[in-house]
Short mmCIF file of all heavy atoms in Angstrom, two decimals:
data_model
loop_
_atom_site.label_atom_id
_atom_site.label_comp_id
_atom_site.label_asym_id
_atom_site.label_seq_id
_atom_site.Cartn_x
_atom_site.Cartn_y
_atom_site.Cartn_z
N ASN A 1155 110.51 29.66 -54.35
CA ASN A 1155 111.03 30.53 -53.35
C ASN A 1155 111.33 29.69 -52.05
O ASN A 1155 111.40 28.44 -52.26
CB ASN A 1155 110.07 31.61 -53.05
CG ASN A 1155 108.67 31.03 -52.65
OD1 ASN A 1155 108.48 29.83 -52.40
ND2 ASN A 1155 107.68 31.98 -52.78
N ALA A 1156 111.66 30.28 -51.06
CA ALA A 1156 112.06 29.61 -49.82
C ALA A 1156 110.97 28.56 -49.32
O ALA A 1156 111.18 27.42 -49.02
CB ALA A 1156 112.42 30.44 -48.74
N ASP A 1157 109.69 29.07 -49.42
CA ASP A 1157 108.57 28.27 -48.97
C ASP A 1157 108.33 27.09 -49.92
O ASP A 1157 108.11 25.90 -49.46
CB ASP A 1157 107.27 29.17 -48.90
CG ASP A 1157 106.09 28.40 -48.51
OD1 ASP A 1157 106.19 27.89 -47.30
OD2 ASP A 1157 105.03 28.32 -49.25
N LYS A 1158 108.42 27.35 -51.28
CA LYS A 1158 108.23 26.14 -52.22
C LYS A 1158 109.33 25.16 -51.97
O LYS A 1158 109.12 24.02 -52.07
CB LYS A 1158 108.24 26.79 -53.67
CG LYS A 1158 107.90 25.67 -54.72
CD LYS A 1158 106.49 25.35 -54.64
CE LYS A 1158 105.62 26.47 -55.00
NZ LYS A 1158 104.13 26.21 -54.93
N LEU A 1159 110.59 25.61 -51.84
CA LEU A 1159 111.71 24.70 -51.63
C LEU A 1159 111.48 23.73 -50.40
O LEU A 1159 111.65 22.56 -50.51
CB LEU A 1159 112.97 25.44 -51.43
CG LEU A 1159 114.33 24.73 -51.25
CD1 LEU A 1159 115.44 25.34 -51.97
CD2 LEU A 1159 114.68 24.39 -49.85
N LEU A 1160 110.95 24.37 -49.32
CA LEU A 1160 110.72 23.53 -48.20
C LEU A 1160 109.48 22.65 -48.37
O LEU A 1160 109.43 21.46 -47.90
CB LEU A 1160 110.27 24.52 -47.01
CG LEU A 1160 111.46 25.39 -46.45
CD1 LEU A 1160 110.97 26.30 -45.44
CD2 LEU A 1160 112.63 24.52 -45.99
N GLN A 1161 108.43 23.06 -49.13
CA GLN A 1161 107.30 22.07 -49.57
C GLN A 1161 107.98 20.99 -50.38
O GLN A 1161 107.46 19.84 -50.13
CB GLN A 1161 106.35 22.90 -50.40
CG GLN A 1161 105.43 23.92 -49.66
CD GLN A 1161 104.51 24.62 -50.68
OE1 GLN A 1161 103.90 23.95 -51.45
NE2 GLN A 1161 104.33 25.86 -50.58
N MET A 1162 108.81 21.18 -51.17
CA MET A 1162 109.49 20.07 -51.97
C MET A 1162 110.20 19.08 -50.98
O MET A 1162 110.18 17.91 -51.20
CB MET A 1162 110.49 20.63 -52.94
CG MET A 1162 109.85 21.53 -54.07
SD MET A 1162 111.17 22.12 -55.21
CE MET A 1162 111.90 20.59 -55.82
N ARG A 1163 110.83 19.58 -50.08
CA ARG A 1163 111.51 18.77 -49.08
C ARG A 1163 110.51 17.91 -48.24
O ARG A 1163 110.85 16.70 -47.89
CB ARG A 1163 112.47 19.52 -48.14
CG ARG A 1163 113.74 20.02 -48.83
CD ARG A 1163 114.53 20.91 -47.97
NE ARG A 1163 115.91 21.15 -48.61
CZ ARG A 1163 116.94 20.46 -48.38
NH1 ARG A 1163 116.93 19.52 -47.44
NH2 ARG A 1163 118.15 20.67 -48.97
N ASP A 1164 109.34 18.39 -47.91
CA ASP A 1164 108.41 17.73 -47.08
C ASP A 1164 107.46 16.89 -47.81
O ASP A 1164 106.76 16.09 -47.26
CB ASP A 1164 107.61 18.86 -46.30
CG ASP A 1164 108.48 19.64 -45.39
OD1 ASP A 1164 109.58 19.14 -44.99
OD2 ASP A 1164 108.08 20.73 -44.96
N ASP A 1165 107.22 17.14 -49.13
CA ASP A 1165 106.17 16.52 -49.93
C ASP A 1165 106.80 15.97 -51.21
O ASP A 1165 107.07 16.74 -52.16
CB ASP A 1165 105.07 17.59 -50.19
CG ASP A 1165 103.94 16.97 -50.99
OD1 ASP A 1165 103.92 15.73 -51.31
OD2 ASP A 1165 102.99 17.66 -51.24
N PRO A 1166 106.95 14.65 -51.24
CA PRO A 1166 107.49 14.01 -52.56
C PRO A 1166 106.63 14.38 -53.80
O PRO A 1166 107.16 14.50 -54.87
CB PRO A 1166 107.46 12.55 -52.24
CG PRO A 1166 107.53 12.44 -50.79
CD PRO A 1166 106.78 13.62 -50.28
N GLU A 1167 105.39 14.58 -53.64
CA GLU A 1167 104.45 14.88 -54.69
C GLU A 1167 104.94 16.23 -55.29
O GLU A 1167 104.94 16.46 -56.51
CB GLU A 1167 103.00 14.79 -54.30
CG GLU A 1167 102.01 15.17 -55.44
CD GLU A 1167 100.63 15.21 -55.04
OE1 GLU A 1167 100.35 14.93 -53.76
OE2 GLU A 1167 99.73 15.56 -55.83
N MET A 1168 105.05 17.25 -54.33
CA MET A 1168 105.47 18.60 -54.82
C MET A 1168 106.79 18.57 -55.42
O MET A 1168 106.98 19.19 -56.44
CB MET A 1168 105.48 19.46 -53.67
CG MET A 1168 105.80 20.99 -54.00
SD MET A 1168 104.66 21.81 -55.17
CE MET A 1168 103.29 22.12 -54.03
N ASP A 1169 107.67 17.82 -54.91
CA ASP A 1169 109.09 17.69 -55.41
C ASP A 1169 109.05 17.24 -56.90
O ASP A 1169 109.61 17.71 -57.88
CB ASP A 1169 109.95 16.70 -54.59
CG ASP A 1169 111.35 16.70 -55.12
OD1 ASP A 1169 112.13 17.58 -54.87
OD2 ASP A 1169 111.61 15.66 -55.79
N ALA A 1170 108.33 16.09 -57.15
CA ALA A 1170 108.06 15.51 -58.47
C ALA A 1170 107.40 16.56 -59.34
O ALA A 1170 107.86 16.60 -60.59
CB ALA A 1170 107.30 14.27 -58.40
N CYS A 1171 106.52 17.20 -58.89
CA CYS A 1171 105.79 18.19 -59.71
C CYS A 1171 106.71 19.28 -60.21
O CYS A 1171 106.64 19.62 -61.44
CB CYS A 1171 104.63 18.80 -58.95
SG CYS A 1171 103.66 20.17 -59.79
N VAL A 1172 107.44 19.83 -59.30
CA VAL A 1172 108.36 20.96 -59.65
C VAL A 1172 109.36 20.41 -60.81
O VAL A 1172 109.71 21.10 -61.71
CB VAL A 1172 109.09 21.59 -58.43
CG1 VAL A 1172 110.18 22.62 -58.94
CG2 VAL A 1172 108.08 22.15 -57.55
N ARG A 1173 109.91 19.29 -60.52
CA ARG A 1173 110.88 18.76 -61.51
C ARG A 1173 110.26 18.40 -62.89
O ARG A 1173 110.99 18.41 -63.81
CB ARG A 1173 111.56 17.51 -60.90
CG ARG A 1173 112.28 17.77 -59.66
CD ARG A 1173 112.93 16.67 -59.06
NE ARG A 1173 113.53 16.97 -57.76
CZ ARG A 1173 114.68 17.64 -57.59
NH1 ARG A 1173 115.31 18.01 -58.66
NH2 ARG A 1173 115.13 17.93 -56.38
N ARG A 1174 108.86 18.22 -62.91
CA ARG A 1174 108.31 18.03 -64.17
C ARG A 1174 108.02 19.34 -65.02
O ARG A 1174 107.85 19.37 -66.16
CB ARG A 1174 106.94 17.36 -63.97
CG ARG A 1174 106.85 15.77 -63.88
CD ARG A 1174 105.48 15.25 -64.14
NE ARG A 1174 104.52 15.75 -63.21
CZ ARG A 1174 104.21 15.20 -61.97
NH1 ARG A 1174 104.95 14.25 -61.49
NH2 ARG A 1174 103.32 15.80 -61.24
N CYS A 1175 107.94 20.51 -64.23
CA CYS A 1175 107.64 21.70 -64.94
C CYS A 1175 108.58 22.10 -66.01
O CYS A 1175 109.83 21.96 -65.94
CB CYS A 1175 107.64 22.86 -63.80
SG CYS A 1175 106.30 22.68 -62.64
N GLU A 1176 108.04 22.62 -67.09
CA GLU A 1176 108.85 23.06 -68.26
C GLU A 1176 109.68 24.18 -67.84
O GLU A 1176 110.77 24.37 -68.47
CB GLU A 1176 107.94 23.33 -69.40
CG GLU A 1176 107.40 22.04 -70.12
CD GLU A 1176 106.45 21.24 -69.23
OE1 GLU A 1176 105.78 21.72 -68.37
OE2 GLU A 1176 106.25 20.02 -69.53
N ILE A 1177 109.17 25.13 -67.18
CA ILE A 1177 109.91 26.26 -66.78
C ILE A 1177 109.88 26.50 -65.30
O ILE A 1177 108.79 26.65 -64.73
CB ILE A 1177 109.50 27.65 -67.49
CG1 ILE A 1177 109.64 27.42 -69.04
CG2 ILE A 1177 110.24 28.87 -67.07
CD1 ILE A 1177 109.12 28.60 -69.81
N VAL A 1178 111.07 26.63 -64.64
CA VAL A 1178 111.18 26.86 -63.24
C VAL A 1178 111.89 28.13 -62.87
O VAL A 1178 113.14 28.11 -63.14
CB VAL A 1178 111.74 25.63 -62.43
CG1 VAL A 1178 111.79 25.86 -60.86
CG2 VAL A 1178 111.05 24.42 -62.74
N ASN A 1179 111.28 29.19 -62.36
CA ASN A 1179 111.88 30.41 -62.16
C ASN A 1179 112.28 30.61 -60.60
O ASN A 1179 111.68 29.98 -59.78
CB ASN A 1179 111.07 31.59 -62.45
CG ASN A 1179 110.88 31.75 -64.07
OD1 ASN A 1179 109.93 31.81 -64.58
ND2 ASN A 1179 112.06 31.90 -64.65
N ALA A 1180 113.38 31.37 -60.43
CA ALA A 1180 113.70 31.77 -59.03
C ALA A 1180 112.70 32.89 -58.61
O ALA A 1180 112.87 34.15 -58.91
CB ALA A 1180 115.08 32.29 -58.84
N ASP A 1181 111.57 32.56 -57.92
CA ASP A 1181 110.66 33.55 -57.55
C ASP A 1181 110.86 33.81 -56.01
O ASP A 1181 110.07 33.33 -55.20
CB ASP A 1181 109.13 33.04 -57.81
CG ASP A 1181 108.12 33.95 -57.35
OD1 ASP A 1181 108.34 35.11 -56.92
OD2 ASP A 1181 106.87 33.67 -57.35
N GLY A 1182 111.82 34.53 -55.80
CA GLY A 1182 112.14 34.90 -54.38
C GLY A 1182 113.56 35.37 -54.24
O GLY A 1182 114.49 34.66 -54.66
N ALA A 1183 113.80 36.41 -53.58
CA ALA A 1183 115.03 37.00 -53.35
C ALA A 1183 115.91 35.99 -52.58
O ALA A 1183 117.22 35.98 -52.74
CB ALA A 1183 115.02 38.25 -52.59
N SER A 1184 115.33 35.13 -51.79
CA SER A 1184 116.03 34.20 -50.94
C SER A 1184 116.71 33.16 -51.88
O SER A 1184 117.91 32.74 -51.52
CB SER A 1184 115.10 33.41 -50.09
OG SER A 1184 114.08 32.83 -50.76
N MET A 1185 116.13 32.84 -52.98
CA MET A 1185 116.76 31.82 -53.91
C MET A 1185 117.96 32.43 -54.62
O MET A 1185 119.02 31.79 -54.73
CB MET A 1185 115.76 31.38 -55.03
CG MET A 1185 114.60 30.61 -54.37
SD MET A 1185 115.19 29.07 -53.56
CE MET A 1185 115.64 28.04 -55.06
N VAL A 1186 117.86 33.66 -54.98
CA VAL A 1186 118.96 34.34 -55.65
C VAL A 1186 120.05 34.54 -54.70
O VAL A 1186 121.29 34.33 -54.98
CB VAL A 1186 118.40 35.70 -56.15
CG1 VAL A 1186 119.68 36.48 -56.94
CG2 VAL A 1186 117.45 35.59 -57.19
N MET A 1187 119.74 34.92 -53.54
CA MET A 1187 120.80 35.11 -52.36
C MET A 1187 121.53 33.78 -52.11
O MET A 1187 122.74 33.70 -51.97
CB MET A 1187 120.14 35.65 -51.11
CG MET A 1187 121.15 35.81 -49.97
SD MET A 1187 121.33 34.40 -48.91
CE MET A 1187 119.64 34.16 -48.44
N ALA A 1188 120.79 32.67 -51.98
CA ALA A 1188 121.29 31.37 -51.67
C ALA A 1188 122.16 30.93 -52.91
O ALA A 1188 123.24 30.39 -52.56
CB ALA A 1188 120.26 30.39 -51.44
N ALA A 1189 121.76 31.18 -54.04
CA ALA A 1189 122.45 30.79 -55.19
C ALA A 1189 123.84 31.47 -55.19
O ALA A 1189 124.87 30.91 -55.53
CB ALA A 1189 121.82 30.95 -56.52
N LYS A 1190 123.83 32.73 -54.91
CA LYS A 1190 125.13 33.44 -54.92
C LYS A 1190 126.04 32.96 -53.85
O LYS A 1190 127.28 32.85 -54.07
CB LYS A 1190 124.72 34.96 -54.63
CG LYS A 1190 125.99 35.94 -54.68
CD LYS A 1190 125.58 37.36 -54.48
CE LYS A 1190 126.85 38.29 -54.57
NZ LYS A 1190 126.49 39.71 -54.26
N LYS A 1191 125.50 32.75 -52.71
CA LYS A 1191 126.40 32.16 -51.58
C LYS A 1191 126.96 30.82 -51.87
O LYS A 1191 128.11 30.49 -51.52
CB LYS A 1191 125.50 32.09 -50.31
CG LYS A 1191 126.37 31.78 -49.00
CD LYS A 1191 125.48 31.93 -47.83
CE LYS A 1191 126.37 31.63 -46.57
NZ LYS A 1191 127.40 32.71 -46.39
N LEU A 1192 126.27 30.04 -52.71
CA LEU A 1192 126.66 28.74 -53.08
C LEU A 1192 127.42 28.62 -54.43
O LEU A 1192 127.84 27.54 -54.85
CB LEU A 1192 125.47 27.71 -53.13
CG LEU A 1192 124.81 27.56 -51.76
CD1 LEU A 1192 123.46 26.66 -52.06
CD2 LEU A 1192 125.63 26.90 -50.78
N GLY A 1193 127.65 29.83 -55.10
CA GLY A 1193 128.40 29.75 -56.31
C GLY A 1193 127.62 29.43 -57.49
O GLY A 1193 128.25 28.95 -58.50
N VAL A 1194 126.34 29.50 -57.49
CA VAL A 1194 125.46 29.09 -58.52
C VAL A 1194 124.96 30.36 -59.29
O VAL A 1194 124.43 31.30 -58.71
CB VAL A 1194 124.21 28.32 -58.05
CG1 VAL A 1194 123.32 28.00 -59.28
CG2 VAL A 1194 124.64 27.05 -57.34
N ASP A 1195 125.14 30.42 -60.54
CA ASP A 1195 124.71 31.55 -61.28
C ASP A 1195 123.26 31.70 -61.56
O ASP A 1195 122.70 30.89 -62.33
CB ASP A 1195 125.53 31.59 -62.64
CG ASP A 1195 125.27 32.83 -63.41
OD1 ASP A 1195 124.95 33.91 -62.81
OD2 ASP A 1195 125.50 32.81 -64.68
N LEU A 1196 122.59 32.60 -60.94
CA LEU A 1196 121.18 32.93 -61.18
C LEU A 1196 121.15 34.47 -61.53
O LEU A 1196 121.43 35.30 -60.73
CB LEU A 1196 120.33 32.67 -60.02
CG LEU A 1196 119.77 31.32 -59.75
CD1 LEU A 1196 118.86 31.23 -58.51
CD2 LEU A 1196 119.08 30.73 -60.93
N PRO A 1197 120.82 34.87 -62.74
CA PRO A 1197 120.96 36.18 -63.06
C PRO A 1197 119.96 37.20 -62.38
O PRO A 1197 120.39 38.37 -62.13
CB PRO A 1197 120.54 36.20 -64.61
CG PRO A 1197 119.71 34.98 -64.73
CD PRO A 1197 120.31 33.95 -63.86
N GLU A 1198 118.72 36.80 -62.11
CA GLU A 1198 117.74 37.69 -61.33
C GLU A 1198 116.63 36.89 -60.92
O GLU A 1198 116.35 35.75 -61.29
CB GLU A 1198 117.34 38.77 -62.32
CG GLU A 1198 116.58 38.26 -63.51
CD GLU A 1198 116.20 39.33 -64.53
OE1 GLU A 1198 116.98 40.42 -64.58
OE2 GLU A 1198 115.32 39.18 -65.33
N ARG A 1199 115.90 37.55 -60.07
CA ARG A 1199 114.58 37.12 -59.55
C ARG A 1199 113.59 37.29 -60.62
O ARG A 1199 113.48 38.31 -61.25
CB ARG A 1199 114.19 37.71 -58.18
CG ARG A 1199 112.85 37.36 -57.76
CD ARG A 1199 112.33 38.27 -56.58
NE ARG A 1199 111.07 37.89 -56.16
CZ ARG A 1199 110.21 38.69 -55.45
NH1 ARG A 1199 110.56 39.98 -55.17
NH2 ARG A 1199 109.04 38.31 -55.10
#
């Protein structure tokens, strides 16, 4: 979500961890909204 995305930007360890994850979901309406604005297809939260 928005908070996790900011954690990734501030903490290289968190960024690497998220990228290692086998499944990463959009857990947050902010992510779906941002994807739509940027033309990225995210079906749902």
Side-chain angles (χ1 to χ4, degrees):
N1155 53 20
D1157 183 58
K1158 187 70 68 185
L1159 183 144
L1160 295 177
Q1161 289 181 43
M1162 291 175 65
R1163 285 177 169 261
D1164 295 337
D1165 182 359
E1167 181 185 358
M1168 179 63 75
D1169 182 81
C1171 174
V1172 174
R1173 296 182 189 280
R1174 277 198 302 274
C1175 289
E1176 282 67 24
I1177 297 178
V1178 182
N1179 289 125
D1181 179 8
S1184 56
M1185 294 297 291
V1186 178
M1187 178 274 297
K1190 183 177 180 180
K1191 190 172 182 64
L1192 296 173
V1194 179
D1195 184 24
L1196 277 185
E1198 62 184 22
R1199 177 192 179 199

